[in-house]
């Protein structure tokens, strides 16, 4: 079982950029699909992005397409979320998640391991 720690959240103005990182340990990182989800107060957890085991394929939620980029570095056991053109509606706690299997990958229930989350706040 892989343990995950998400970092990089903070305060940013609308239109700005931020990069989140997720460090994995305790498992075989390259065996996992890695996803990012977010949850705002009073809202359900929302799919943001997922990257395949080798990093060759990605998929994004409609609300972030064209603005966010997910990537991974298997040599460093790291996954990243580069966020650009941030909007106030992007404000949420962002979670990284891992799964060795389970589909569809845009559903939170497909993931078995979760990081603690990192807060992203976008001001207008």
């Amino acid at each position: 079982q892989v343990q995950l720690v998400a970092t990089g959240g903070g305060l940013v103005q609308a239109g700005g950029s931020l990069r989140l990182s997720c460090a994995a340990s305790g498992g075989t990182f390259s065996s996992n699909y890695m996803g990012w989800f977010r949850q705002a107060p009073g809202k359900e957890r929302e799919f943001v992005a997922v990257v395949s085991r080798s990093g060759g394929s990605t998929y994004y939620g409609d609300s972030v397409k064209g603005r966010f980029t997910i990537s991974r570095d298997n040599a460093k056991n790291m996954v990243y979320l580069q966020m650009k053109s941030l909007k106030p509606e992007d404000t949420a706690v962002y979670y990284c998640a891992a799964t060795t299997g389970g589909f569809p990958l845009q559903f939170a229930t497909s993931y078995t391991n979760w990081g603690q989350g990192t807060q992203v706040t976008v001001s207008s």
Side-chain angles (χ1 to χ4, degrees), residues 7-9 12-13 15-22 34-38 48-51 58-61 63-73 78-87 90 94-96 118 120 122:
T7 59
V12 63
Q13 293 184 349
S17 299
L18 201 63
R19 188 177 79 156
L20 307 183
S21 300
C22 181
M34 296 297 300
W36 286 97
F37 289 77
R38 66 188 185 184
V48 175
V50 63
V51 61
T58 58
Y59 180 73
Y60 298 90
S63 63
V64 306
K65 287 180 180 177
R67 299 188 299 120
F68 291 11
T69 302
I70 187 171
S71 62
R72 68 191 298 161
D73 186 339
M78 296 287 293
V79 62
Y80 307 97
L81 184 69
Q82 179 67 57
M83 305 183 293
K84 299 180 179 179
S85 301
L86 283 162
K87 305 173 181 179
D90 295 319
Y94 283 70
Y95 299 89
C96 60
T118 185
V120 173
V122 184

Side-chain angles (χ1 to χ4, degrees), residues 22-43:
C22 181
S25 62
T28 304
F29 180 69
S30 61
S31 295
N32 288 267
Y33 287 85
M34 296 297 300
W36 286 97
F37 289 77
R38 66 188 185 184
Q39 189 165 25
K43 301 291 184 66

Side-chain angles (χ1 to χ4, degrees), residues 2 5-6 10 15 35 61 65 76 79 86 88 97 99-100 102 104 107 113 116:
V2 64
V5 179
K65 287 180 180 177
K76 298 180 179 179
V79 62
L86 283 162
T99 181
T100 58
F107 285 9
N113 297 82
Q116 85 289 357

